[in-house]
Amino acid sequence: MNAKRILIVDDVNFNIEFETKLIKNLMVGYKINVHIDEAGSVEEAMKMIDENDAYDAMIVDMNLPDGSGVDIAKKARAKSEETRLAALTIYPNEYEAERPYFDLFLKKPIMMDAFNQNFIRLLQL
Amino acid sequence: MGRKVLPQYGDVDPVTGLYSKTAFLSILSDQFQDSLQPFPRAILSMEFDDLSRFNESFGYEIDDLLLQKLAARLRTCLRNELFAKAGTYRFAIATDYHEEKRLKRLAETIVTALREPFNIEGTMFYITVTIGIAVVTESVVSAKMLLKHAESAMKQLQKDGTNHIGFFTPTDEKHLMTELKLLKDIPGAIDRGEFYLLYQPQFYADKGCYAGAEVLIRWQHPQFGEISPERFIPLAEKSGMIVPLTVFILIETAKMFKKLDTVGMRHFTLSVNVPASVLLEQSFLETVAFVQQMYGLPKGRVIFEIMEETIPENMDGFVTLLKRLKEMGMGIAIDDFGTGHTSLHYLMRFPADVLKVDRSFVRNIHTDKKLFLLFRAINDMAKALHMKIVAEGVEERKEAEIIKSFGGIVVQGYYYSKPIDADALFALVQQACKGDL
């Protein structure tokens, strides 16, 4: 079975849990094993990137308490060009300048259908 | 007034030949910023009361004829005002009048002109109209905003139901600004943890135990404080946020079941309000299946409450959908029963498990003989159709006693408990029913 390692960065537990369950549920259909790590802040995310092998994909909330999702994206990119990066935000239109750092922008609140479709695009399945 | 000719704006209502709303706004926008031609100075938004009923009763052809005659008669009240059809049964007039007295007189002329009935193919139609008026002020920056103000004043009049003519006031403006702010804030409010759940306990009168609770959503806004669901649910519906909000409630409800099981309330049911518009979303069944599988929604303990007045008239697809939900182990309740349009014929086809009888049939049942008889009839009918009854809004001991005397009824209301938070709900464990009802 194929396997993917994902990092979810969000300071809201409800979102981390929801995304984790959506991804796990979705990946069953693709026969892909997923390992999901969580980070609740920029600092935690940086640490996770440092301490682990490069992730296959990351979903980064743009409204974190201690800094910008862009810093996380830059660090992830520096570690590996292969990591696929998605930004998660309520206001995608307000992040024009940040677009180049991410492969995809996902909209909050999370809608099941749209999230699933975009996650498949993110993993390029 | 330098108005441009019709073809340049294209958009014309085919029935009345009037400008459409798009064309109306487009023409006004061109002239709005022009200091030499200050136009418009005011907009009147008018809607004909109950006109959709005529459509339902007499069909589109009569409807069209009536709209044509209405437009023609309205035209006789106007000088050179810009006149448009701004909605199905809504017209808009832009004028260079700006004194309140003259605007009011214009509106009164219209109301008077419509007093005489319309004769359409031998049938007399009596039409009443509501007119909201908005005058340009410094804070009005576009024609669209001016129209919105006029429409807002009109809707307020329709809600109040006392006057037919009214002006947009600074209070209305404040109200509208708040609505816009709330509309903007809803998407982020889940993230910020501003939505929370309360529980309205439901008491099984026969056994004297709590059978379940209705899940209620509340919004604590950082600026405006507690916002009532009557206010934010329509906004959530308008902005498409009702779907994620319902999913949030479902997920939190699933988590609540786990906690209820932990404290030993293993038979407790939770009822969740789901607007028909959400149920009809293509992905709704899939979403419920997802929440059931990934978070856990115990079969037989979740009840979806659907407000009677939101049930679609064309029930075929809807009934199929509800049957699928029932196959998944979800219960179905008709909420506010008795206030909407559910005919007895519908009720027979509707796969509901529970009828929630509206509070208007419960309040004062101990003093009003007619109410008592009506409630008894509803109870007999529900039993015959194998539906349970939940009586809403029980506030007095005497009401509770009478309802209890019918037997087999679940009651909710302030007499038993007001809505409570999760901790208070767990504290009911000793009084919770021990088996299925």
Side-chain angles (χ1 to χ4, degrees):
Chain A
M1 209 184 220
N2 215 333
K4 297 280 183 196
R5 293 181 56 257
I6 319 280
L7 177 65
I8 298 175
V9 190
D10 204 310
D11 61 326
V12 179
N13 278 333
F14 179 86
N15 290 337
I16 292 191
E17 193 183 19
F18 192 21
E19 289 168 52
T20 302
K21 287 185 192 292
L22 281 170
I23 292 169
K24 286 193 168 162
N25 188 48
L26 183 66
M27 289 298 102
V28 171
Y30 285 84
K31 296 195 162 47
I32 291 176
N33 252 330
V34 278
H35 174 86
I36 298 175
D37 283 336
E38 303 167 4
S41 63
V42 175
E43 193 190 340
E44 267 180 55
M46 297 298 208
K47 201 164 159 238
M48 300 294 283
I49 296 169
D50 271 338
E51 291 174 359
N52 290 286
D53 293 340
Y55 287 98
D56 293 296
M58 288 172 48
I59 301 175
V60 181
D61 176 40
M62 293 303 279
N63 186 24
L64 291 164
D66 61 338
S68 159
V70 171
D71 294 335
I72 301 172
K74 282 182 183 164
K75 192 171 178 82
R77 273 277 182 275
K79 181 148 186 162
S80 166
E81 281 290 315
E82 304 294 314
T83 302
R84 299 278 293 166
L85 295 167
L88 185 66
T89 170
I90 301 167
Y91 311 108
N93 296 337
E94 290 178 10
Y95 288 96
E96 280 306 319
E98 288 79 0
R99 290 215 171 242
Y101 299 102
F102 294 91
D103 297 296
L104 267 183
F105 264 70
L106 307 178
K107 202 167 169 358
K108 269 208 273 192
I110 296 163
M111 306 276 234
M112 187 168 152
D113 267 8
F115 183 89
N116 286 350
Q117 281 167 19
N118 280 316
F119 190 74
I120 286 164
R121 275 174 60 203
L122 185 68
L123 290 190
Q124 297 176 304
L125 295 175
Chain B
M1 269 171 229
R3 245 171 270 145
K4 295 178 186 172
V5 288
L6 190 70
Q8 278 182 285
Y9 295 96
D11 231 341
V12 173
D13 172 59
V15 176
T16 56
L18 295 174
Y19 288 111
S20 69
K21 184 174 174 177
T22 319
F24 179 74
L25 285 174
S26 165
I27 295 168
L28 293 181
S29 297
D30 282 359
Q31 302 182 8
F32 205 81
Q33 307 293 354
D34 189 344
S35 59
L36 294 175
Q37 297 178 335
F39 181 84
R41 312 280 289 274
I43 287 181
L44 288 78
S45 170
M46 61 187 78
E47 197 158 64
F48 304 101
D49 309 323
D50 294 331
L51 217 55
S52 57
R53 269 193 308 123
F54 294 133
N55 184 326
E56 280 166 22
S57 315
F58 298 98
Y60 286 104
E61 279 173 27
I62 296 287
D63 201 44
D64 287 354
L65 282 173
L66 186 58
L67 282 170
Q68 282 164 8
K69 289 205 170 190
L70 266 170
R73 198 179 291 177
L74 284 170
R75 218 188 282 274
T76 62
C77 305
L78 305 177
R79 304 165 303 154
N80 52 354
E81 277 78 13
L82 186 65
F83 183 26
K85 188 156 175 283
T88 315
Y89 299 112
R90 193 178 289 181
F91 290 75
I93 293 167
T95 174
D96 55 0
Y97 284 151
H98 63 281
E99 306 91 338
E100 192 170 319
K101 220 193 256 174
R102 293 184 79 175
L103 286 163
K104 202 169 172 205
R105 205 180 305 139
L106 174 60
E108 281 165 354
T109 310
I110 292 169
V111 170
T112 312
L114 295 179
R115 277 214 186 107
E116 192 177 322
F118 290 83
N119 184 346
I120 313 276
E121 295 181 350
T123 307
M124 303 304 268
F125 290 88
Y126 292 84
I127 304 291
T128 53
V129 66
T130 305
I131 306 176
I133 308 168
V135 183
V136 171
T137 59
E138 275 180 9
S139 64
V140 176
V141 296
S142 67
K144 198 174 171 186
M145 190 171 175
L146 187 60
L147 178 62
K148 205 165 186 59
H149 284 183
E151 288 180 338
S152 169
M154 181 189 72
K155 282 181 198 158
Q156 194 55 45
L157 291 170
Q158 287 171 328
K159 218 183 275 177
D160 299 345
T162 45
N163 285 314
H164 286 291
I165 299 169
F167 284 80
F168 185 78
T169 64
T171 319
D172 294 333
E173 183 160 13
K174 201 173 157 212
H175 185 77
L176 196 65
M177 293 307 283
T178 310
E179 300 283 287
L180 291 174
K181 171 98 174 90
L182 293 179
L183 211 53
K184 188 169 172 280
D185 288 348
I186 290 178
I190 296 178
D191 251 32
R192 294 188 296 269
E194 291 165 16
F195 286 113
Y196 65 98
L197 302 183
L198 288 182
Y199 304 88
Q200 172 71 60
Q202 297 173 330
F203 193 75
Y204 186 47
D206 287 14
K207 288 190 185 171
C209 58
Y210 285 97
E214 178 181 353
V215 179
L216 304 169
I217 179 104
R218 295 286 186 264
W219 184 9
Q220 180 68 35
H221 190 280
Q223 187 183 341
F224 304 118
E226 195 76 28
I227 310 287
S228 80
E230 286 76 19
R231 190 146 179 217
F232 72 77
I233 295 287
L235 293 175
E237 285 182 318
K238 203 163 145 185
S239 61
M241 284 298 116
I242 192 71
V243 176
L245 199 56
T246 306
V247 173
F248 167 78
I249 297 169
L250 262 185
I251 288 175
E252 291 300 316
T253 301
K255 291 179 184 172
M256 189 63 186
F257 274 116
K258 287 219 166 78
K259 292 176 192 159
L260 286 169
D261 288 356
T262 313
V263 299
M265 296 162 86
R266 290 191 187 85
H267 298 276
F268 210 73
T269 62
L270 291 177
S271 306
V272 178
N273 291 283
V274 184
S277 63
V278 174
L279 280 168
L280 290 164
E281 281 281 321
Q282 217 172 5
S283 58
F284 186 72
L285 280 176
E286 213 182 313
T287 306
V288 175
F290 164 77
V291 178
Q292 187 172 38
Q293 195 185 335
M294 302 304 285
Y295 288 88
L297 287 173
K299 290 186 177 180
R301 288 172 63 194
V302 187
I303 296 155
F304 286 153
E305 291 192 7
I306 304 154
M307 260 170 74
E308 189 189 19
E309 63 173 27
T310 69
I311 294 169
E313 302 249 343
N314 180 1
M315 291 224 313
D316 291 350
F318 199 60
V319 167
T320 312
L321 190 87
L322 297 182
K323 283 184 177 160
R324 289 282 309 281
L325 282 171
K326 286 185 69 149
E327 284 162 16
M328 291 162 74
M330 308 293 143
I332 306 292
I334 300 180
D335 198 8
D336 293 342
F337 178 74
T339 59
H341 57 244
T342 316
S343 70
L344 296 179
H345 176 69
Y346 281 169
L347 201 58
M348 268 175 21
R349 291 182 54 212
F350 205 89
D353 308 281
V354 177
L355 275 190
K356 286 194 82 173
V357 180
D358 187 67
R359 63 189 65 236
S360 55
F361 297 97
V362 174
R363 292 289 291 135
N364 301 319
I365 193 169
H366 57 298
T367 54
D368 189 329
K369 180 84 177 163
K370 270 190 188 162
L371 273 185
F372 174 82
L373 294 172
L374 203 55
F375 193 95
R376 190 168 73 184
I378 295 172
N379 185 46
D380 290 345
M381 181 185 69
K383 276 188 179 142
L385 294 170
H386 305 290
M387 294 178 186
K388 278 184 200 138
I389 283 202
V390 174
E392 293 182 275
V394 178
E395 291 182 13
E396 306 269 343
R397 184 174 55 84
K398 283 185 177 166
E399 290 164 4
E401 279 169 2
I402 296 216
I403 304 264
K404 189 182 172 188
S405 71
F406 286 108
I409 291 180
V410 173
V411 277
Q412 69 177 55
Y414 275 51
Y415 176 68
Y416 293 96
S417 171
K418 62 180 185 2
I420 52 179
D421 65 13
D423 286 340
L425 193 68
F426 300 142
L428 293 179
V429 60
Q430 295 307 327
Q431 297 151 270
C433 298
K434 303 294 178 220
D436 294 330
L437 301 183

